[in-house]
Amino acid sequence: MSGARTPVGPTERGAAKQTVTISFAGFNRAWAAWIGDRLERRGHRVVYQRWDSPAEVPLVDLLRDLMLAQGRILIIVSEWYFQLGPRTHDEWNTALRAVVAPDPARFAAVSVTTSPVPTAAAVLGAVELNNMGADEAERRVLDRLDLPADPLPESVEGARRGPRFPAAMPEVWGGVPRRNTRFTGREPLLNDAYHLLQGAESGAGVVTLHGMSGVGKTQLAAEYAYRFGSEYDVVWWVNAEKRVTYRRRLAELAPQLGLSTGAEYGERLRAVRDSLRRGDPYARWLLILDGADEPDQIYDLVPNGPGHVLITSRNPEWSEHNSKLLEVPVYGRDESVAFIRRRAPRLSEPEADQLAEALEDLPLLLDQTAGWLNDSDLSVQEYIALLEGGIDQDVVKISADFPVAFQTAWSILLNKLRDTVPESVDLLRLCTFFAPGFIPVRLLKEMPHDELPEQIAGLLNDPLLWNKAINQLRQYSVVRLESHEAATDEAASSGESLYLHRMVHQIVHKDMPDADRGEFIDVVRRALAAADPRRPTDTRLWPGYAEIVPHLKYADVLKSKDPAVQTLVFNCLRYMYISGEYRAGIKLGERALKAWRTLLGENHPRIWELTHHYSNLLRAVGDYQRTETIERAAVDHLREQRGEQDLDHLRAVSGLGADLRGLARYDEALELSQRLVVMYRDLLGEQDSRTLGAQNNLAVSLRLLGRYERALDIDRRTLEARRLLLRARHPWALSSEWSYATDLRLLGRYTEAESIQTKNVREYRLVMGADTPPTLEAEHNLALCQYRSGDRAAAGTLLTRVLERCERVLGETDPQTLRFAATTSCFLREHGDIDQARELGESVVARYEVMLAEGHPYVAGVRANHALVLRSVGERDHAHVLVEQSLTDMTEAVGENHPWTLGCAINAAALRNLVGDPEGAAALSRQTVTRATEALGRTHPLTLSARIALAADLRGLRDRQQAEKIEQEALSDLVATLGAQHVHTISARSRNRPYWDFEPLST
């Protein structure tokens, strides 16, 4: 019977709304969704029927079952539709002639393939939808279904947007692996992931595909992107194995979203996260995080918003971070058999079943084994015998750490590669000295090729040989060729971006000849060193370091004596310190010290430079006792060996000063700071960056001693010099600006401080990004400026947000987090939830007691803060005892004239009044006023608070005349200093007793 369709008469066309059943292979879901949407918008009823073709069910029966569907049956013709099962063309020809040919009017078809299909498919009368635009494709679909092609009414603003025309890519598409045309099965998992994401509330659309290595999580995520990508405007793939690479890849999305940003890394990262959160310019976005096996490292960077996040991971702990979990098991046996038969058509169904059982249904191993077995003369039985019996000892060996099936299968495969294209084995082994995942082989191409081993030089310098090796590895699915790092197909075809699965990486890396290992690892080390951007303080170069850091471990760079490789290690440590990757930096520093002391000797110059970077990282997490020991040993040794004017010695002295500040030995730190400024100035001049760094540290020491005016003067001069010497947005210049604003705030010059700090925050966000430690520090200072200026609403919001982000980025016990928690607790005590203030304050006290020695002023200060919480909840006696002890401890720690001691005294006087000791309160207040006036001046806010408090105490003793005089003078000074409408002035006028909050300062 002819394959031409039977037309519907003209009176029937469009007479009534129709039901159309769309039958499609899962691979072509995007076409089914688009066609269905176009029909539904015209009022037709659409039934979706994903075609499945179980091998055990005769194809004729499946087609007859399909004819039970309502209305016209529209088949989306593709090679996938006819391959499922798998089925041969002969099977299809027989079934189509038997079922469709007698009643062709029930069927209609559209073709979305250019590949050969069964000849009897002509009976379907498929119309072509390839190589045309959406309008013409829609017209052809409607014509094939004998439906009118009247124009659709204009969409109502805000109406649901339909799927995109499948031939049109999303507006933004990046990094997604090439589609695996051999993808098999997994339909329930794909559908479950889709419905979980689509059904999630805004901000909660996160699904994690988790399972062991080799089960196909990455392939599943890639198929999801292709199958459902038409429903998104942005699809962006991110290698999320490491935090640094995740941040880099996310920042690369900024220009793709059309965001107007500068070159600074932090500015782009902040802009992307804000854009995704707001859904502007695109609300329909899909972010795929591949290989995110350490949720604690990146969960805080997973964006919220109207879009969706799909994660692949071996770690089910993502369920603790707002993600739904979908476990990805090994293939079901039917999926294994179908996949093997598609990968190796020469194998029969029973042979495919035997092979699947032998390889434990693991998709990765099935893919690689079936690929080369199809090209081999070896039978399945012979191959399985090899698996069970082992292989000769003179062939390539695989580590016994892996199951027997893996060991032998890989040994067989590697020997096959060695016999055909031996260079492919060299390339594969070379890649294992990079981290698994995306291999930046571009770095190999870009490095100097002189003095390379002959076999590697030949591979890198001969494009034909290179491509031959790449193609051989691709053919057997050992690597994937991706466009992840390459902007063009030309770049990709040259092999500039390979993907090497973790399991393949581990297996190949385990065993190779020692001679090859030494040569290959040296090549990768030199490639990494050549890629060093060489300026870790420049945030615009951070993407380069983010790319390099994950590979340091695998290239075993710490065993290299190459100065360039050692310099790379220093620069990476510096980058990790500045960007806030403290824990990872400490691990690298510890490993480097251990390795280099053995490699270079205890007193090699590189050891002292390494000690400097390592101590910076330890100090950042509050390990002051340990760093003081390390730095003092360095100071003593370098002074003895090189003299006091040696620059390494001076750098060690500077580190020791920072340790002393952390340990609250402020006078010793000040003495060191003053000496360093003089020595740097004499050696290098006033404008050298190291001299300015010493000046900066001198101001820090002065600030911690409460000498705010002197600190302000030094910070102002340092800021001006750094702006001249460096660019205005250099991190050191921004740091000086933050210090200057902090000094102004501590002096009570709140309006000036807030103005400068507002600008400083804006530039820190642009340069460093929203969640780096310096930016968080800047935002915290801005919140305190707002609080002191009276903008309590803005201050409260910002304090809460900064603390939450700092806890996520650095952890709850980090020194910076504890400082932020201390000030937030004080704010909550007065303007928030007293129970929350108490809980937060108690945790700060407990953590400082663990971190710092008894008698440290920070311990005394946060206890004084906690006493005010106890006062507020009615525990006056407990509060009184605690504040008196805090006053004693603070006096012993920093002296009776320090602002912190004076603040404790203000609080202690208030508690004395509450417990019935007005005389003691007044006596303490008199001493406090005298000492504050001497230390800070008559009109400093702390002195004014002490004067208002003294007036209150005198009223309690019924000395009203003196109280009135002191109060009026203080009010007059408050108006002159802060203004008549400032919150402190209004509070004093209302006779609310002032209190003082201890603020731990950065050291």
Side-chain angles (χ1 to χ4, degrees):
M1 180 176 287
S2 170
R5 70 178 189 244
T6 302
V8 177
T11 58
E12 297 180 33
R13 177 182 283 261
K17 301 304 181 184
Q18 293 193 19
T19 295
V20 178
T21 296
I22 302 178
S23 180
F24 62 98
F27 195 82
N28 303 122
R29 182 199 174 278
W31 280 104
W34 178 76
I35 293 171
D37 177 74
R38 306 321 293 171
L39 294 174
E40 287 173 340
R41 287 175 186 271
R42 287 179 158 77
H44 303 293
R45 179 171 177 265
V46 175
V47 178
Y48 296 92
Q49 195 271 348
R50 180 178 57 80
W51 178 250
D52 200 2
S53 185
E56 66 274 11
V57 181
L59 191 53
V60 168
D61 292 348
L62 292 173
L63 282 176
R64 285 179 177 146
D65 289 343
L66 180 60
M67 289 190 70
L68 300 176
Q70 299 179 41
R72 295 289 292 279
I73 299 166
L74 178 67
I75 293 178
I76 298 180
V77 170
S78 72
E79 66 273 29
W80 269 87
Y81 196 89
F82 296 115
Q83 285 175 359
L84 289 172
R87 304 285 186 172
T88 66
H89 280 200
D90 287 342
E91 287 180 89
W92 267 105
N93 287 332
T94 300
L96 288 169
R97 291 170 185 140
V99 179
V100 178
D103 189 10
R106 283 296 313 281
F107 291 88
V110 294
S111 174
V112 294
T113 184
T114 56
S115 299
V117 296
T119 55
V123 73
L124 296 170
V127 296
E128 288 285 339
L129 297 188
N130 294 302
N131 303 317
M132 66 188 62
D135 291 343
E136 174 61 15
E138 182 175 4
R139 186 195 67 76
R140 291 191 178 196
V141 170
L142 294 171
D143 182 64
R144 181 63 186 87
L145 290 169
D146 302 300
L147 297 174
D150 301 331
L152 282 171
E154 290 194 17
S155 299
V156 178
E157 188 173 346
R160 177 185 66 86
R161 292 176 60 189
R164 178 180 291 95
F165 181 56
M169 295 290 286
E171 276 79 354
V172 178
W173 176 275
V176 183
R178 295 180 180 182
R179 194 169 193 179
N180 180 3
T181 56
R182 294 188 295 271
F183 186 86
T184 300
R186 304 302 203 189
E187 296 295 343
L189 279 172
L190 287 165
N191 289 333
D192 287 348
Y194 176 76
H195 291 299
L196 283 172
L197 288 173
Q198 294 295 331
E201 297 178 0
S202 180
V206 183
V207 167
T208 297
L209 304 172
H210 82 97
M212 70 178 191
S213 287
V215 293
K217 301 182 295 295
T218 297
Q219 292 294 327
L220 186 62
E223 179 61 22
Y224 184 94
Y226 284 100
R227 193 167 294 194
F228 301 104
S230 63
E231 300 189 23
Y232 296 96
D233 298 316
V234 176
V235 178
W236 197 251
W237 188 281
V238 177
N239 176 12
E241 290 189 5
K242 298 290 183 183
R243 183 181 178 91
V244 289
T245 51
Y246 172 81
R247 284 157 50 100
R248 172 178 66 89
R249 182 66 180 147
L250 198 59
E252 291 172 1
L253 182 54
Q256 305 298 322
L257 295 177
L259 305 179
S260 299
T261 65
E264 286 86 356
Y265 172 85
E267 180 183 357
R268 286 181 283 125
L269 185 61
R270 178 198 59 78
V272 168
R273 295 183 64 195
D274 184 59
S275 171
L276 297 179
R277 178 183 58 79
R278 292 183 292 105
D280 181 21
Y282 302 110
R284 303 193 308 175
W285 51 262
L286 172 64
L287 190 66
I288 301 174
L289 312 184
D290 187 37
D293 294 329
E294 299 182 39
D296 291 342
Q297 291 291 313
I298 67 165
Y299 82 93
D300 59 295
L301 296 175
V302 176
N304 295 317
H308 298 152
V309 180
L310 186 62
I311 300 169
T312 73
S313 178
R314 293 177 297 162
N315 193 336
E317 290 179 8
W318 274 106
S319 62
E320 301 172 12
H321 301 291
N322 194 37
S323 174
K324 300 282 195 310
L325 289 187
L326 276 179
E327 183 176 0
V328 182
V330 297
Y331 269 152
R333 181 54 52 82
D334 59 334
E335 292 177 317
S336 294
V337 170
F339 178 79
I340 291 170
R341 293 191 65 201
R342 184 171 298 124
R343 190 76 170 93
R346 78 176 182 87
L347 302 185
S348 67
E349 187 171 336
E351 288 175 324
D353 188 280
Q354 293 170 21
L355 184 61
E357 182 174 358
L359 298 178
E360 304 173 21
D361 295 298
L362 188 70
L364 177 66
L365 207 51
L366 293 176
D367 190 15
Q368 292 158 350
T369 303
W372 80 262
L373 198 56
N374 189 58
D375 298 333
S376 170
D377 295 331
L378 205 65
S379 72
V380 171
Q381 288 75 21
E382 290 170 328
Y383 179 79
I384 292 174
L386 278 178
L387 286 178
E388 294 173 347
I391 54 174
D392 295 336
Q393 293 301 308
D394 61 343
V395 294
V396 180
K397 293 187 296 183
I398 295 298
S399 172
D401 293 348
F402 297 92
V404 173
F406 291 2
Q407 297 174 46
T408 316
W410 266 96
S411 295
I412 296 168
L413 176 57
L414 285 179
N415 279 288
K416 175 76 172 179
L417 290 170
R418 188 188 63 174
D419 292 341
T420 51
V421 184
E423 293 82 5
S424 64
V425 178
D426 290 337
L427 177 58
L428 183 60
R429 286 173 167 167
L430 188 64
C431 287
T432 67
F433 293 101
F434 292 99
F438 287 100
I439 307 294
V441 289
R442 167 181 53 82
L443 303 185
L444 297 171
K445 291 294 196 72
E446 294 173 354
M447 69 181 291
H449 290 179
D450 53 319
E451 299 182 10
L452 283 178
E454 183 178 348
Q455 65 195 100
I456 301 301
L459 186 63
L460 294 177
N461 292 326
D462 186 340
L464 293 178
L465 187 59
W466 175 269
N467 286 334
K468 186 178 180 182
I470 292 287
N471 289 333
Q472 189 71 19
L473 294 174
R474 287 180 63 201
Q475 181 180 346
Y476 297 150
S477 300
V478 178
V479 301
R480 293 203 318 265
L481 184 61
E482 303 294 356
S483 57
H484 175 76
E485 298 179 67
T488 66
D489 288 341
E490 179 182 351
S493 67
S494 68
E496 291 193 342
S497 182
L498 299 179
Y499 184 90
L500 185 62
H501 192 280
R502 176 185 298 275
M503 181 177 288
V504 179
H505 182 284
Q506 189 177 0
I507 291 173
V508 174
H509 188 78
K510 279 286 184 179
D511 288 287
M512 67 178 73
D514 289 340
D516 284 353
R517 183 179 295 276
E519 286 189 345
F520 294 160
I521 198 170
D522 182 63
V523 169
V524 174
R525 288 170 180 169
R526 290 163 61 183
L528 293 174
D532 183 0
R534 292 177 172 76
R535 290 203 308 278
T537 57
D538 189 338
T539 58
R540 294 169 298 183
L541 301 177
W542 281 6
Y545 286 107
E547 181 180 36
I548 290 171
V549 164
H551 304 292
L552 300 180
K553 172 183 173 183
Y554 294 90
D556 209 3
V557 295
L558 301 181
K559 291 184 180 177
S560 173
K561 289 187 176 182
D562 185 343
V565 175
Q566 293 173 354
T567 298
L568 170 66
V569 173
F570 291 142
N571 287 339
C572 287
L573 286 169
R574 183 67 173 162
Y575 154 73
M576 295 162 100
Y577 171 68
I578 297 171
S579 64
E581 304 288 343
Y582 302 142
R583 302 293 176 184
I586 288 170
K587 288 180 182 177
L588 176 61
E590 286 173 346
R591 288 171 35 231
L593 273 174
K594 182 178 179 181
W596 286 5
R597 281 171 175 155
T598 301
L599 184 71
L600 305 174
E602 290 282 346
N603 298 319
H604 192 281
R606 292 279 183 175
I607 296 295
W608 304 114
E609 186 171 357
L610 178 58
T611 297
H612 165 71
H613 293 296
Y614 179 54
S615 296
N616 280 345
L617 289 156
L618 284 175
R619 194 179 301 113
V621 299
D623 199 347
Y624 307 121
Q625 292 280 5
R626 191 173 171 193
T627 53
E628 196 254 354
T629 301
I630 293 171
E631 293 282 23
R632 193 171 292 282
V635 168
D636 293 343
H637 175 84
L638 291 168
R639 181 178 60 243
E640 181 180 339
Q641 294 296 317
R642 305 186 192 176
E644 288 202 342
Q645 293 191 331
D646 177 75
L647 291 177
D648 287 342
H649 170 257
L650 294 181
R651 182 172 62 185
V653 172
S654 179
L656 179 59
D659 301 329
L660 294 173
R661 287 192 292 271
L663 294 168
R665 291 155 62 179
Y666 301 137
D667 290 320
E668 293 177 66
L670 177 63
E671 182 183 350
L672 281 183
S673 298
Q674 290 171 328
R675 185 154 55 90
L676 275 172
V677 169
V678 173
M679 296 185 75
Y680 272 125
R681 189 178 293 150
D682 291 345
L683 283 170
L684 304 171
E686 290 191 352
Q687 297 303 307
D688 186 87
S689 63
R690 285 159 289 192
T691 305
L692 297 177
Q695 275 185 201
N696 176 82
N697 294 339
L698 174 57
V700 176
S701 296
L702 290 166
R703 189 183 308 124
L704 288 164
L705 284 165
R707 303 176 192 178
Y708 304 139
E709 287 284 2
R710 284 192 60 196
L712 178 73
D713 178 60
I714 293 172
D715 278 327
R716 177 184 53 77
R717 288 188 281 114
T718 306
L719 173 60
E720 291 170 354
R722 279 178 164 172
R723 282 175 172 170
L724 287 174
L725 180 66
L726 309 167
R727 64 182 189 276
R729 285 185 175 176
H730 190 283
W732 291 350
L734 294 178
S735 176
S736 285
E737 188 174 58
W738 168 84
S739 296
Y740 185 60
T742 300
D743 297 333
L744 288 171
R745 176 174 59 77
L746 293 172
L747 285 165
R749 294 163 62 176
Y750 302 135
T751 302
E752 294 174 76
E754 184 177 356
S755 174
I756 292 171
Q757 194 56 52
T758 299
K759 167 183 173 291
N760 183 250
V761 164
R762 183 169 59 250
E763 294 186 343
Y764 256 128
R765 287 172 177 164
L766 291 175
V767 173
M768 304 292 285
D771 291 332
T772 56
T775 303
L776 294 171
E777 192 76 68
E779 291 188 11
H780 180 251
N781 192 41
L782 175 59
L784 293 179
C785 291
Q786 293 168 337
Y787 188 22
R788 300 306 174 201
S789 295
D791 190 352
R792 291 167 178 167
T797 300
L798 189 53
L799 280 172
T800 300
R801 195 167 73 227
V802 168
L803 176 59
E804 288 174 349
R805 285 156 53 211
C806 197
E807 286 176 341
R808 289 199 308 268
V809 173
L810 299 177
E812 294 183 349
T813 61
D814 185 86
Q816 189 169 359
T817 305
L818 292 180
R819 290 190 290 105
F820 294 178
T823 52
T824 304
S825 174
C826 293
F827 181 89
L828 291 171
R829 183 194 70 233
E830 297 301 318
H831 310 291
D833 184 333
I834 189 64
D835 293 328
Q836 188 180 354
R838 180 170 189 167
E839 181 182 355
L840 185 58
E842 286 174 344
S843 71
V844 172
V845 171
R847 284 168 176 157
Y848 267 140
E849 288 173 344
V850 171
M851 176 185 291
L852 305 171
E854 185 65 31
H856 194 289
Y858 286 13
V859 176
V862 295
R863 285 174 178 166
N865 288 345
H866 189 52
L868 295 180
V869 173
L870 296 175
R871 175 211 64 181
S872 298
V873 298
E875 298 181 27
R876 295 179 178 181
D877 292 335
H878 186 186
H880 176 234
V881 171
L882 187 58
V883 80
E884 291 287 357
Q885 185 61 52
S886 298
L887 176 58
T888 300
D889 293 345
M890 189 68 83
T891 303
E892 187 174 339
V894 295
E896 60 185 13
N897 290 332
H898 194 289
W900 296 344
T901 306
L902 299 173
C904 281
I906 290 175
N907 294 347
L911 266 298
R912 289 181 185 183
N913 250 321
L914 282 177
V915 298
D917 182 15
E919 292 83 3
L924 182 56
S925 289
R926 282 195 183 93
Q927 293 175 0
T928 305
V929 169
T930 301
R931 289 170 179 159
T933 302
E934 178 183 342
L936 298 169
R938 176 183 174 85
T939 58
H940 187 279
L942 187 61
T943 308
L944 291 170
S945 292
R947 290 163 64 188
I948 294 294
L950 176 58
D953 290 338
L954 292 174
R955 275 195 302 274
L957 294 175
R958 302 188 185 281
D959 188 352
R960 292 187 176 86
Q961 183 175 355
Q962 185 67 10
E964 184 72 20
K965 178 177 181 297
I966 291 173
E967 183 180 68
Q968 288 305 312
E969 290 175 350
L971 283 171
S972 177
D973 286 342
L974 273 168
V975 170
T977 304
L978 299 178
Q981 298 306 311
H982 192 278
V983 290
H984 293 346
T985 308
I986 294 171
S987 180
R989 193 180 295 124
S990 302
R991 292 187 173 173
N992 294 319
R993 184 170 186 114
Y995 55 85
W996 170 80
D997 293 332
F998 171 69
E999 174 199 341
L1001 296 176
S1002 173
T1003 58

